[in-house]
Amino acid sequence: MRNQKPNKSGPRINGINGKWPLSYRLRMTMMQDLNTSYLNKKEKDMSTQNSLMRGWVVALAGTGINLALGILYTWSIFKGAIADSVATGGAFSWEPSSINDPYATACLVFAVAMIVAGKVQDKFGPRVTCIAGGMMVGAGFIMISQSANYWVWILGFGILAGGGIGFGYSAATPPALKWFPPKMTGLVAGIVVSGFGLASVYIAPLAKYLLGTYGLQQSMMFFGFGFMAIVSLFALFVSNPPQGYVPNLVDTPLDKPAVKVENSEDLSPSQLLKTGSFYTLWLCFFIGAGAGLMVIGSAKGLAKASMGEMAFLVVVIMSVGNAAGRLVAGVVSDKIGRANTLTIMLVFQAALMFAAIPGLKGDANPIVVVLLVTFMVFNYGTNLSLFPSFVKDMWGMKHFGMNYGILFSAWGVGAFVLVRVAEVLKVRTGDFTMSFAVAGVMLLVGAMMASSLRPAKAIEPVPATDPVEEEDMVLQKAGIE
């Protein structure tokens, strides 16, 4: 049979002649199965690679959008120019305690817009939402470029730009997360939101140059048109995965499982508001974000006494810390869990607030000032990658836009309340000592709440004892064979 040559005549099924010897037909069938399995695996691997490639395009586009919208964190430079104008009797005749109001309003509107934008994104997609956000930011900056009036700045910077930032920011992270498996949630979220924190690296020196060359209001005009174009361009590359898409989980190492989730169900916003974990997370976000924004909004003022005209460099350096906090927290939380990372961050931030009381006095060492502000902003940055990861882990992706928008309201309220309180206390006491003390105590309370978010350890079931074996053991102890 082995030396018998196959007959070329006769009917063929899948390329195999029915008159060939059985051994030869079996051999050919096995070879076809192996080839089919190999090709299927190859096609699956190529499909996975294409999906991940598309996911990275979306993630990098989201990072680019956030690099433009992060101008919010450069407010302290604009604030300094307004304060100088107020002090010298220039075009801005505002009350000293109200200088931070456009920034605080923008933070609050940013958070409210996140809820609306989440609904818009779920209905019309992230691309349309991003473009709408870019147009609103541009319109807001163009508006404030035409006036020094307090209410125009509240409307232009606080409401229009703040709302536009909320629309763009809300549509940058969710689509990126949908392209990747759970084990990469923290990493991807950290990369996308790091753009927002890193923006001051280029915006701060650019703003200083434009302010010195063209003045505050003309500079706002340039920023308005520039960010309108940049956000709209990157928005063209942002999209959700196709309906029914499931991220590939084959590459997840068995010995390093993805972060355990507390609830794998897709909760709607109404269901979300009935869970205790939502209110715990909201308060933690309120405290962590408000304390960090209190420092960010006054960073240049904190550094000016010890660094003079070079104080703007603190804004640049802290932006690196801001972005690093988002990346590091994302990666670490994938390893040790979101709740553990959040607890550590809040305790560290509280320690920095108490250290800032003597460390940020008027005659403080410039190196100490830079280190304290940078680490404070590093800790603040961790919030912006941890909380979207919490939302995906605990409440699913189906209503992610709305759910994260509702949770993000804590960021806006925290910014509005704590930034405003810090500015009022500074005007009354002459420094930020009381603000740092209050923030430090609140952060410790937040750390205790965050520790309650740790998932309960599953109790391993005790294996049932075979009754026959148990009876044999009793007989053996009694000496009965």
Side-chain angles (χ1 to χ4, degrees):
M1 291 290 290
R2 290 181 181 177
N3 297 327
Q4 182 177 354
K5 294 183 180 180
N7 187 358
K8 294 184 179 180
S9 63
R12 293 174 177 263
I13 301 175
N14 293 330
I16 299 176
N17 193 319
K19 293 186 176 182
W20 288 350
L22 179 61
S23 58
Y24 190 83
R25 280 183 284 160
L26 289 173
R27 195 182 313 142
M28 291 295 294
T29 302
M30 292 174 63
M31 290 177 65
Q32 284 186 349
D33 290 342
L34 288 172
N35 288 335
T36 302
S37 299
Y38 172 76
L39 290 173
N40 288 341
K41 184 178 183 302
K42 189 174 181 180
E43 289 175 0
K44 187 176 181 181
D45 291 342
M46 289 178 65
S47 176
T48 301
Q49 291 174 2
N50 291 336
S51 297
L52 288 177
M53 183 64 70
R54 177 59 182 155
W56 283 118
V57 169
V58 174
L60 293 177
T63 306
I65 290 169
N66 283 334
L67 277 167
L69 301 179
I71 193 170
L72 181 68
Y73 290 149
T74 318
W75 168 257
S76 61
I77 292 178
F78 305 147
K79 173 188 172 183
I82 295 172
D84 291 341
S85 177
V86 171
T88 58
F92 291 84
S93 55
W94 302 2
E95 289 294 327
S97 63
S98 66
I99 292 176
N100 248 355
D101 288 356
Y103 170 72
T105 304
C107 293
L108 181 61
V109 174
F110 178 5
V112 174
M114 286 278 290
I115 301 174
V116 179
K119 187 68 174 177
V120 172
Q121 180 192 165
D122 291 340
K123 187 171 184 179
F124 298 103
R127 184 175 301 155
V128 172
T129 311
C130 280
I131 292 175
M135 293 299 172
M136 291 170 66
V137 172
F141 272 83
I142 292 170
M143 177 182 287
I144 61 177
S145 72
Q146 305 301 308
S147 175
N149 181 272
Y150 171 83
W151 290 108
V152 172
W153 276 68
I154 291 291
L155 177 59
F157 189 90
I159 297 177
L160 266 179
I165 291 171
F167 266 67
Y169 187 84
S170 73
T173 306
L177 293 180
K178 292 175 182 178
W179 285 95
F180 295 93
K183 68 170 184 174
M184 299 179 68
T185 295
L187 172 63
V188 174
I191 290 173
V192 176
V193 299
S194 68
F196 204 88
L198 204 58
S200 295
V201 168
Y202 77 94
I203 295 179
L206 177 60
K208 184 172 176 60
Y209 167 76
L210 292 175
L211 290 176
T213 306
Y214 300 100
L216 176 60
Q217 289 174 282
Q218 189 67 26
S219 300
M220 298 299 101
M221 174 75 78
F222 294 145
F223 280 127
F225 282 113
F227 291 142
M228 217 182 249
I230 292 170
V231 173
S232 298
L233 175 63
F234 279 115
L236 299 177
F237 299 95
V238 175
S239 65
N240 286 322
Q243 191 74 22
Y245 170 82
V246 178
N248 192 312
L249 302 178
V250 174
D251 296 328
T252 304
L254 295 177
D255 56 338
K256 294 181 180 179
V259 174
K260 293 181 180 179
V261 298
E262 182 178 309
N263 189 341
S264 58
E265 296 181 10
D266 289 312
L267 298 187
S268 66
S270 59
Q271 292 172 318
L272 171 74
L273 294 173
K274 297 176 182 177
T275 63
S277 58
F278 166 76
Y279 297 98
T280 301
L281 277 176
W282 195 97
L283 288 171
C284 289
F285 205 177
F286 167 84
I287 294 169
L293 288 166
M294 181 184 74
V295 175
I296 290 172
S298 304
K300 187 179 178 183
L302 290 168
K304 193 168 185 178
S306 59
M307 299 182 68
E309 291 302 316
M310 299 301 290
F312 82 96
L313 289 176
V314 171
V315 179
V316 177
I317 295 169
M318 77 176 186
S319 69
V320 177
N322 192 344
R326 299 168 191 232
L327 282 170
V328 171
V331 174
V332 171
S333 69
D334 282 340
K335 302 295 182 183
I336 68 172
R338 319 290 182 212
N340 290 331
T341 308
L342 179 60
T343 302
I344 293 169
M345 177 276 294
L346 291 171
V347 171
F348 186 25
Q349 185 77 314
L352 291 170
M353 289 291 173
F354 292 127
I357 295 175
L360 293 180
K361 294 291 185 181
D363 56 348
N365 186 308
I367 297 176
V368 173
V369 172
V370 171
L371 288 175
L372 277 173
V373 172
T374 300
F375 278 114
M376 284 178 177
V377 178
F378 172 92
N379 278 279
Y380 161 77
T382 62
N383 289 279
L384 281 306
S385 67
L386 285 176
F387 285 97
S389 301
F390 267 119
V391 172
K392 180 183 177 183
D393 289 348
M394 298 171 71
W395 306 316
M397 286 299 297
K398 185 176 181 180
H399 304 285
F400 183 94
M402 277 287 288
N403 288 346
Y404 184 51
I406 293 170
L407 179 64
F408 198 82
S409 64
W411 183 93
V413 176
F416 187 82
V417 172
L418 293 186
V419 169
R420 179 66 176 165
V421 167
E423 197 66 25
V424 170
L425 289 175
K426 178 182 178 294
V427 171
R428 291 184 179 178
T429 63
D431 57 31
F432 284 98
T433 298
M434 184 62 68
S435 302
F436 288 136
V438 171
V441 172
M442 291 179 67
L443 286 160
L444 290 176
V445 173
M448 289 188 285
M449 290 191 293
S451 64
S452 70
L453 294 169
R454 295 190 182 109
K457 293 183 178 179
I459 301 175
E460 296 184 3
V462 179
T465 306
D466 189 341
V468 177
E469 292 181 358
E470 186 175 1
E471 184 179 333
D472 290 343
M473 291 174 63
V474 172
L475 294 174
Q476 287 178 4
K477 287 181 179 180
I480 301 173
E481 296 295 336

